[in-house]
Amino acid sequence: MAARSVPYVALKPAAKSFVAHASDRLPLKSTPINPDWIISGNPEARTAEHSRGQDEASLTAIWDCTAGEFRWHFGWDETVMILEGEVHITAEDGTERTLCPGDVAFFAGGTWASWRVDTYVRKVAFLRKPFPKPLAIAYRLRNMLRNGGSQGIAA
């Protein structure tokens, strides 16, 4: 018993180290868009969670949506890759872009963007919970020290 340094009850179950699915075979569940965000139409969104990081700070999901226009708030940093269809994006700064299959885009946590879906869009979304600013600065400082000062620490 002396070899056990952590009580059994404190041990977490082993997490999956590899997860793979066909993106078109994950069961999508209805995830209605906040009605206050809808600008026009009746967009219907669905989501299928693919995987989560062990620390619960990252998530990968498949998301799709039918025609409509809406504003979207990104609570987490989100990188998307369009799998099917297209979406017209207008960012907070007025930047406009149409995303088509194969396109990749990043949305910073805490920001808004307008989405216009003319017929249908399906994407894979990689989400990461942003670090609090003091922790992000400490993390960058650690990386800078590890890399011999070749990175800045600006937040």
Side-chain angles (χ1 to χ4, degrees):
M1 283 295 184
R4 188 190 295 177
S5 61
V6 178
Y8 177 75
V9 293
L11 296 176
K12 285 185 168 184
K16 294 180 180 179
S17 60
F18 177 74
V19 179
H21 297 285
S23 66
D24 60 346
R25 292 199 177 148
L26 285 168
L28 294 159
K29 297 177 184 169
S30 177
T31 50
I33 296 169
N34 182 330
D36 295 337
W37 299 357
I38 296 175
I39 297 168
S40 65
N42 185 29
E44 294 181 23
R46 302 179 302 166
T47 305
E49 183 175 311
H50 174 268
S51 55
R52 274 185 190 266
Q54 290 180 347
D55 61 2
E56 299 284 322
S58 61
L59 170 73
T60 303
I62 302 296
W63 181 89
D64 74 356
C65 187
T66 59
E69 186 173 1
F70 49 91
R71 289 186 29 84
W72 190 266
H73 181 261
F74 293 88
W76 293 22
D77 289 344
E78 184 171 336
T79 300
V80 304
M81 180 176 205
I82 303 302
L83 300 172
E84 184 179 342
E86 67 179 32
V87 58
H88 306 276
I89 303 289
T90 304
E92 284 180 313
D93 67 2
T95 302
E96 294 183 31
R97 176 77 192 261
T98 299
L99 301 177
C100 301
D103 288 343
V104 177
F106 171 79
F107 300 89
T111 63
W112 287 87
S114 293
W115 286 56
R116 190 184 87 228
V117 178
D118 292 335
T119 54
Y120 174 79
V121 68
R122 183 165 57 101
K123 69 179 183 179
V124 60
F126 307 97
L127 298 98
R128 185 185 66 82
K129 203 178 288 187
F131 288 133
K133 194 163 191 150
L135 187 56
I137 292 170
Y139 184 76
R140 288 185 184 120
L141 180 59
R142 183 203 70 164
N143 288 344
M144 183 182 74
L145 294 172
R146 280 186 174 173
N147 294 327
S150 62
Q151 285 184 333
I153 62 168

